[in-house]
Structures are given as structure tokens and as C-alpha cells.
Amino acid sequence: MKTYEMLINGALGGAISGETIGSINPATGEVVARAAWGGEEDATAAVDAAEAARGGWRDTSVGDRSKLVSRLASRLRERAGDLATLETADTGNPINVMTGDVFAAAGALDYFAGLGTELKGHSVPSTAGGLRFTLREPYGVVVKIIPFNHPIMFSGAKIAAPLMAGNTVVLKPPPQAPLSALLLAELAADVFPAGVLNVVPGPGATVGHALVTDSRVRRIGFTGSVETGKVVMREASAHLADVSLELGGKNPLIVFPDADVEHASEAAVAAMNFTWQGQSCGSASRLFVHRSMREEFVDRLVERVEALKVGLPDNVETEMGAIISSQQLERIMSYIEAGKQEGARLLTGGEQPRGDDFARGYWIAPTVFVDVTPQMRIAREEIFGPVLSVFEWEHEEEVIRLANDTEYGLTANIWTRDLNTALRVIPQLEAGYTWVNGRTEHFQGLPFGGHKQSGQGSEEGLEELLSYTQTKSISMLPGR
Ligand code: NAD
């Protein structure tokens, strides 16, 4: 069985302790492959390497940086099949969407590779005797920490901006599914000069903690839960590293009475991201349906949810796969129990699907609750599982209040054919990204980031690139 290695200072190798772990296939409970398992000393070695490489990479022209970042994109495309297969086995996500994640990673690398010349400063009105202008400089060592739901997409996409901005990077993959990031490390090992990209898998409490608290790390980009994001921010404050946070969501989808039931119910299922078993920050897990159409809408919704093909992730027909781990399964089931106990009505799902395919691994059928009220836990907390809560509403100001009644503010969706409704409602929704008649698609260049406790900063656009730079002001006078 293969053991995937970490990447430090341009060399692939094992952990200093020699430790490895078997990474589990969530659909079967079997070990997919082994992974080198880092500790604090590996994290420190990676920062040593990134620190040593930062001067050379800073002084590499944006043209040359761009070539290397694009080369990694090409390598990912060449190995898209292998990456998708490995990712499917390691995450439980269906194979039919995994190639898309690999191409999204490659697309983001190419997008940022093309933005190098946007790393611009500006000049201020200068006198005859002097010039005053700014430069955008890299921070130096950047740490990127990513969650389990899209490991290969995030491993590629989230290193692109800091590398292009001239920073060296230490990437920490998710402990539940580290393998695709380590295959990316293999593909990247001879692309960049030693130390420019380092990949160290391991537990958050040791590797993550060591990276965040290392005072040589000047900038941290974290994607994960609100809870861990707060820990990261608190710990990074000891040496005042700059931190950006892409955190959780409890996202509303509001269906207005003029929406078409067919299209809107299809979108509500797509926007819930059942494809990733609902393990998606952007999942529209709170669905607000207008009272006038509630019955017809909910009937259609449940039909669609029950038609989803839940199955083994490596089957190309599968539309929804396995839950990442037994802990996550238990967590989701505890929310389903809470929903029932607090008086919500379970219309479908809520238990393991039936059939031989589900005898092993971690499974929950796609689940829909109705009669959900705002105080219930399933209405307030991010479940990060395939559980959709349906609310009923009558008046516009009421639904806007309900939609905003959460600590989260990641995304929002509205379905209406009335332009005036959209124009009126969009500014009132407390969310970083709003779709009108959409399905939670992302568009490279359109920034993605949370308001309120869903995060700080935004990614996927020019702002992300610039956020990995700091400004230097220069006042230049003639020599005498
Ligand atoms: P998590 O917070 O448990 O873990 C995320 C990462 O942080 C992992 O790599 C983990 O090992 C690491 N970590 C844990 N403790 C740490 C510590 N003390 N110091 C440093 N690093 C530490 O999140 P998860 O369960 O992997 O992912 C699910 C969460 O991620 C959800 O809340 C989801 O909404 C969020 N998410 C947000 C976005 C976004 O773009 N906003 C995208 C995907 C996922």
C-alpha cells in the first residue's frame, strides 16, 4: 500500500517521528493509502524552509512565478483522473463531481497566474524634486489551512494567490482526507524552487497550532469552522499575524410567490449541495417558502430529494456519497434527533439509506424537515450534513428578518422573477454573496467571503491576490 509523503524544502519524505496514518474511505471504512503524519517539528521544519526561500521567491519576476504556477495547473489537469479517483476514495464525494474540483483548482491557479501584473502600487502627486509611490510587497511566509470538504480544490486554489504575490507557502491539508493534497505535493515538488511550497499533513492541534503560533508566519489564510477560526485568530494575535477567515454558513434560500415551482424546487435541492452530502459552507440549509405555494413546493421538493441517487462514490451514476467520518455522522444524527425532539416534522431521510452498498462506511439519506421554527437548533447551527430545514413565511419584512436571524452571513439565495423584488431585498440580506435565481455556483473573479461570523476577507478575485501583499510607501528625493 502506498504511503504519501509530505513536501518540505523541495523534498518528499516522511514525518520526523516516522509516524504514518491510514486514511479511511468513508464509503467502506477501509484504508485507502497511508500518509506521513506530521507533528510540531515538521511544521517548524516547513516554516524554516519557507523562511529560507522567501527572499529568492520575492525576487523572482512575476512572469517567472506565473510560469511555475501555471505549470502546476497543467500537472493537475494531466493527472485529473488520478486525483479525482483518489479524492473520491478519501472523501466519499461522488466521482462525477470530483474531476470538476480538480479543474477548479487548475483554473484558479491559471487565473491568479494571469493576474501578476495587477500587483500594482500607486503614485501620489509629486513635486519636481521627488517621487512618492507605493509598492505591493509579499508578507514572506504564508500558512494556508484547509477543511475536509474540497481538499484538492482548496489545495490548488488557495495556494495560487499567495504564491503569485511572491510569498512562500506552508499548506496544511485536512486530517480526515489528506491524500489528494499529498499527491499535489508530489506533482509540485520539482515545479517550484525548494521551500517555496511546503505541504505538511497532521492534526490541527499540533501541526496547525505550531504553524499558527510561529512568529515567522506573517499571514494566515484559514478555511474551516467558526470555532477553529476563532482559535486561529486568537493564537495568531500573539505575534499579530494578519489572518483571513473563510468560515461556516447557515445560508437562506428565499422563494418568492412569483417563482416557478419546478425551477425553484430543483434549485433548492442543488443549492443544498447534497452532492457533497451537504458538507458545504455554501449549502442553502434554510429554505423559506412562501405560504401561498408551500404545499405544492414541498411535495415537489421531497420528490426531488427522494429521487437523488445515493450510492457508492466511485459509481458514475451516484449523486450523493458518504459522510466524511463516524464523528461527523454522529454529529449530524444528533442534529436530526434534536430536530425531531424540538418539534420539527421529518418528511424524508433522517436515517441510514437501505441496501447492501450501505452496510459499511458512514451514510445518511438526504433529509428534509418542515415546520422548522427559528429557535430550533437545526434552524440556528451549521449541521454540515444533508439536512434541509424548511420554513414558511408570509410577509417580506418577516422573511428578511428570519433570513438574517443568525450569527452567520456567508451566502443568500433568492428566487423571484420580479426585478423589483430582487433589487429591494438584496441590500437587506446580511451575506457576503447573493444569488438571484442561482444554484450556489462560484465564478472566478467574483469575490467569495463571509459577513458576520462567516469570515473576514474574500477570495477568488483580485482582492484575494492583493490581500497577500502589504504596502510599502516610498518617498524618493534626488541625491546631493
Ligand atoms: P475545522 O475547523 O474542524 O478544521 C479546518 C482545518 O483547521 C483542518 O485542517 C484542521 O486540522 C485545522 N485545525 C483544527 N484545529 C486547529 C488549530 N488549533 N490550529 C490550526 N488549525 C487547526 O473544519 P472542518 O470540519 O474541516 O470543515 C468544516 C467547516 O469548514 C465548516 O464550518 C464549513 O462551513 C467550513 N468551510 C468554509 C468554507 C468557506 O469558504 N467559507 C469552505 C469550506 C468549508
Side-chain angles (χ1 to χ4, degrees):
M1 178 175 288
K2 175 164 176 170
T3 300
Y4 286 85
E5 296 178 310
M6 55 181 79
L7 175 63
I8 296 179
N9 204 21
L12 295 163
I16 293 170
S17 68
E19 200 182 336
T20 62
I21 56 143
S23 199
I24 301 294
N25 181 333
T28 62
E30 287 167 357
V31 173
V32 180
R34 300 200 70 78
W37 207 229
E40 288 179 19
E41 58 287 5
D42 300 289
T44 303
V47 178
D48 291 346
E51 177 69 15
R54 76 184 171 95
W57 187 241
R58 177 197 60 211
D59 295 339
T60 302
S61 72
V62 285
D64 286 344
R65 281 184 220 152
S66 170
K67 276 187 208 134
L68 301 188
V69 170
S70 284
R71 189 171 300 161
L72 178 58
S74 304
R75 294 249 171 114
L76 296 187
R77 287 195 188 92
E78 283 159 17
R79 296 287 299 276
D82 294 335
L83 284 160
T85 304
L86 185 65
E87 183 88 319
T88 294
D90 209 21
T91 60
N93 295 331
I95 186 78
N96 71 10
V97 287
M98 281 301 95
T99 319
D101 270 21
V102 180
F103 280 97
L109 285 159
D110 275 341
Y111 168 75
F112 284 108
L115 282 185
T117 52
E118 292 305 310
L119 291 159
K120 295 170 186 163
H122 65 274
S123 60
V124 297
S126 297
T127 52
L131 292 179
R132 273 136 222 138
F133 57 95
T134 65
L135 298 178
R136 286 192 176 273
E137 294 191 332
Y139 280 85
V141 180
V142 166
V143 159
K144 299 285 320 200
I145 298 176
I146 59 170
F148 70 77
N149 57 334
H150 292 284
I152 186 58
M153 184 168 86
F154 291 155
S155 294
K158 289 184 188 281
I159 62 174
L163 286 174
M164 268 314 294
N167 303 279
T168 54
V169 172
V170 182
L171 170 71
K172 195 198 93 57
Q176 304 90 334
L179 300 180
S180 61
L182 298 180
L183 179 50
L184 176 143
E186 255 176 64
L187 301 176
D190 65 346
V191 170
F192 299 104
V196 168
L197 174 65
N198 307 275
V199 184
V200 187
T206 53
V207 172
H209 169 78
L211 292 173
V212 166
T213 52
D214 192 316
S215 61
R216 296 170 296 172
V217 173
R218 302 304 325 156
R219 171 83 171 82
I220 298 162
F222 173 83
T223 305
S225 62
V226 170
E227 199 186 353
T228 315
K230 287 179 181 172
V231 173
V232 166
M233 191 149 201
R234 202 163 46 237
E235 295 196 331
S237 73
H239 62 288
L240 294 178
D242 276 351
V243 177
S244 56
L245 302 168
E246 291 282 346
L247 307 178
K250 191 73 190 171
N251 310 301
L253 189 152
I254 306 173
V255 185
F256 283 83
D258 67 314
D260 175 73
V261 170
E262 276 306 302
H263 288 118
S265 60
E266 187 210 335
V269 175
M272 182 52 215
N273 288 323
F274 283 116
T275 320
W276 283 269
Q277 301 74 251
Q279 299 168 142
S280 177
C281 59
S283 290
S285 54
R286 293 184 300 146
L287 173 61
F288 296 92
V289 181
H290 193 261
R291 187 160 294 166
S292 61
M293 68 205 307
R294 180 189 176 278
E295 212 160 309
E296 186 191 357
F297 194 99
V298 169
D299 285 351
R300 199 67 195 95
L301 178 81
V302 169
E303 257 174 56
R304 287 184 186 283
V305 168
E306 290 182 343
L308 286 170
K309 293 196 183 81
V310 184
L312 292 176
D314 56 1
N315 180 339
V316 288
E317 310 246 301
T318 292
E319 293 172 316
M320 177 175 146
I323 304 296
I324 189 74
S325 64
S326 58
Q327 293 92 320
Q328 185 70 3
L329 178 80
E330 271 170 37
R331 187 168 177 272
I332 299 167
M333 287 309 297
S334 76
Y335 277 109
I336 290 173
E337 278 316 305
K340 290 187 207 160
Q341 276 172 19
E342 290 178 351
R345 194 151 54 88
L346 180 68
L347 287 191
T348 187
E351 58 184 8
Q352 184 168 322
R354 288 171 222 286
D356 293 345
D357 285 355
F358 313 115
R360 300 177 303 162
Y362 319 117
W363 302 92
I364 299 180
T367 299
V368 177
F369 277 107
V370 290
D371 301 341
V372 181
T373 58
Q375 306 72 28
M376 294 178 184
R377 282 184 64 207
I378 58 167
R380 309 204 71 77
E381 297 174 25
E382 185 189 40
I383 300 174
F384 219 59
V387 183
L388 176 59
S389 295
V390 184
F391 302 70
E392 185 178 309
W393 65 279
E394 185 144 24
H395 304 292
E396 190 173 298
E397 54 290 5
E398 171 201 6
V399 76
I400 291 168
R401 185 173 42 73
L402 288 171
N404 290 337
D405 183 18
T406 166
E407 291 303 323
Y408 295 102
L410 191 59
T411 69
N413 309 257
I414 56 178
W415 268 75
T416 176
R417 287 181 285 190
D418 183 346
L419 182 60
N420 292 336
T421 302
L423 287 172
R424 200 171 53 242
V425 171
I426 291 167
Q428 300 183 67
L429 291 174
E430 298 170 350
Y433 203 114
T434 302
W435 287 272
V436 180
N437 302 323
R439 288 171 173 72
T440 78
E441 315 90 328
H442 290 218
F443 295 92
Q444 197 71 65
L446 193 60
F448 186 90
H451 290 184
K452 294 157 82 177
Q453 293 199 29
S454 287
Q456 296 194 4
S458 57
E459 298 189 338
E460 304 179 21
L462 182 60
E463 285 107 309
E464 181 181 355
L465 179 72
L466 301 183
S467 81
Y468 285 97
T469 66
Q470 47 193 354
T471 299
K472 177 178 279 176
S473 294
I474 297 167
S475 171
M476 213 165 142
L477 301 174
R480 278 176 251 186

